[in-house]
Amino acid sequence: MSERLNILLISIAIFIFVGIITLVVKRRLNEEYSFIWLLIAFIFLILALMPDIALFLANLFGTILPINTFFFLGIILILFLCLYFSLKISTLTNRVKNLTQQVALMKSEMENKS
Amino acid sequence: MNKLKHDTIIIIPAFNEEGSISNVINGCKKNLLQSDILVINDASTDNTSKIVRDLNVKVIDLPFNLGVGTALQTGYKFAADKNYKYIIQLDADGQHNTKFLPDIFDKLEKKEFDFIIGSRFLSGEKYKNHSIRRFWINIFAKFLSLLIKEKLTDPTSGCRAFNQKVLKYCITDSYNFAYPDADFLLTLHKIGVKFYELPIVMENRISGKSQYSGFKPLYYVIKMVLSIIIVMLRTKE
């Protein structure tokens, strides 16, 4: 793995790390979601500091370039993230629906009384 | 709990139907006297809500547009809360002829069946429908009939009526509010609901735009097939 890729990975990791912590501090991001992003930053850091892991994985998956291993794993990770968000959105949609219905029903009830 | 005027409630979900809603309501008032009427206004941007209020009919306004399934479920929740025995639902666009309401009510009251569907295709009279849409509805109907071992011709009809047994299911979170059609009927079949199809003559839309236009039918077909498969995979409900 090239030096430049190493530096890039470390910078990205630091960028994510600082960014996420800032967002949590400012309460723009829930702590619950920050964990997953910090984990990603951590993985980047590990790969940058121990390039042997990347080579090992490249061997394991049969990819010639270690960078392709990153792409491959990265895409899988993003897919899982998307699935996770879809799940969350489903729950939220349900809750919003139920809440909205309740508000509408209560409002009509109040109209009746007044 | 408020005192009921009637045992039956007609639920009409409406989204921007100012051109046709008064006709539908007047038709209901004329043809089925022994029922209350409830319009669920799904955040219409026109005068639908005001027109209904002026007719002295109960309206529940949703704060933002949530789709016909959710609007209907709001009505179901209201009906369950007020302990209505029979629920009839109609489209607000005026395509369901209200003169069939007494027939539907009679069928329900006899208690032989739990769920009455007003079928557009049983009567033999031709309803000017989009031929592609008609084709897909037909496929669904055939497929669904096969699954529930009972002949249904119009599973996507918006004209439905049912009793408290069905209502109980409709107010739970299991109710598929995104597309309460074929998979909904299949789930009901699984919990032992008995269906009956009644021929109703359709009117063509008085005004407004159908919810199924553009690319929606294709999405609808895919979604429906998927939903049916999922319902079949669910073991307990």
Side-chain angles (χ1 to χ4, degrees), chain A residues 93-94 96-98 100-105 107-109 111-112, chain B residues 53 58 60-64 66 70 73-74 77-78 82 173 177:
Chain A
T93 309
N94 241 328
V96 169
K97 184 211 76 180
N98 285 339
T100 315
Q101 287 175 329
Q102 223 170 65
V103 167
L105 288 167
K107 226 175 120 191
S108 88
E109 198 70 15
E111 257 175 41
N112 263 6
Chain B
R53 276 166 211 274
K58 180 148 184 70
I60 292 181
D61 293 302
L62 292 176
F64 45 86
L66 284 160
T70 306
Q73 200 192 31
T74 312
K77 285 181 176 175
F78 177 86
K82 300 282 183 258
D173 274 342
F177 58 87

Side-chain angles (χ1 to χ4, degrees), chain A residues 6-17:
Chain A
N6 246 339
I7 294 167
L8 187 69
L9 276 175
I10 293 173
S11 348
I12 293 172
I14 292 171
F15 181 76
I16 295 176
F17 195 78

Side-chain angles (χ1 to χ4, degrees), chain B residues 12-28 90-100 120 127 158-159 200-209:
Chain B
I12 308 168
F15 173 62
N16 290 350
E17 301 283 4
E18 61 179 3
S20 55
I21 190 86
S22 55
N23 271 328
V24 176
I25 289 171
N26 287 329
C28 292
L90 288 177
D91 286 352
D93 55 15
Q95 59 171 320
H96 299 131
N97 196 325
T98 44
K99 74 176 184 205
F100 293 97
R120 291 164 282 185
Y127 159 60
C159 173
I200 53 163
V201 181
M202 300 293 290
E203 310 280 338
N204 284 314
R205 295 179 64 83
I206 297 170
S207 72
K209 195 169 152 244

Side-chain angles (χ1 to χ4, degrees), chain A:
Chain A
M1 207 159 58
S2 74
E3 201 119 288
R4 267 181 291 174
L5 184 59
N6 246 339
I7 294 167
L8 187 69
L9 276 175
I10 293 173
S11 348
I12 293 172
I14 292 171
F15 181 76
I16 295 176
F17 195 78
V18 174
I20 294 301
I21 295 291
T22 315
L23 285 172
V24 175
V25 168
K26 284 186 180 167
R27 293 183 201 283
R28 300 243 325 260
L29 181 72
N30 281 353
E31 272 176 61
E32 184 197 352
Y33 296 98
S34 69
F35 177 75
I36 231 167
W37 291 106
L38 293 178
L39 189 74
I40 292 170
F42 184 70
I43 291 170
F44 273 36
L45 207 64
I46 293 282
L47 285 172
L49 296 176
M50 290 183 251
D52 287 350
I53 293 177
L55 290 174
F56 169 77
L57 287 176
N59 252 331
L60 195 72
F61 293 128
T63 44
I64 296 160
L65 292 170
I67 188 78
N68 284 343
T69 314
F70 285 140
F71 289 147
F72 178 66
L73 291 177
I75 289 168
I76 289 178
L77 192 76
I78 288 168
L79 275 178
F80 272 104
L81 259 183
C82 286
L83 178 66
Y84 176 68
F85 289 145
S86 289
L87 284 176
K88 285 282 167 190
I89 291 170
S90 298
T91 315
L92 291 176
T93 309
N94 241 328
R95 285 185 187 162
V96 169
K97 184 211 76 180
N98 285 339
L99 274 175
T100 315
Q101 287 175 329
Q102 223 170 65
V103 167
L105 288 167
M106 280 163 78
K107 226 175 120 191
S108 88
E109 198 70 15
M110 277 162 65
E111 257 175 41
N112 263 6
K113 278 177 186 149
S114 62

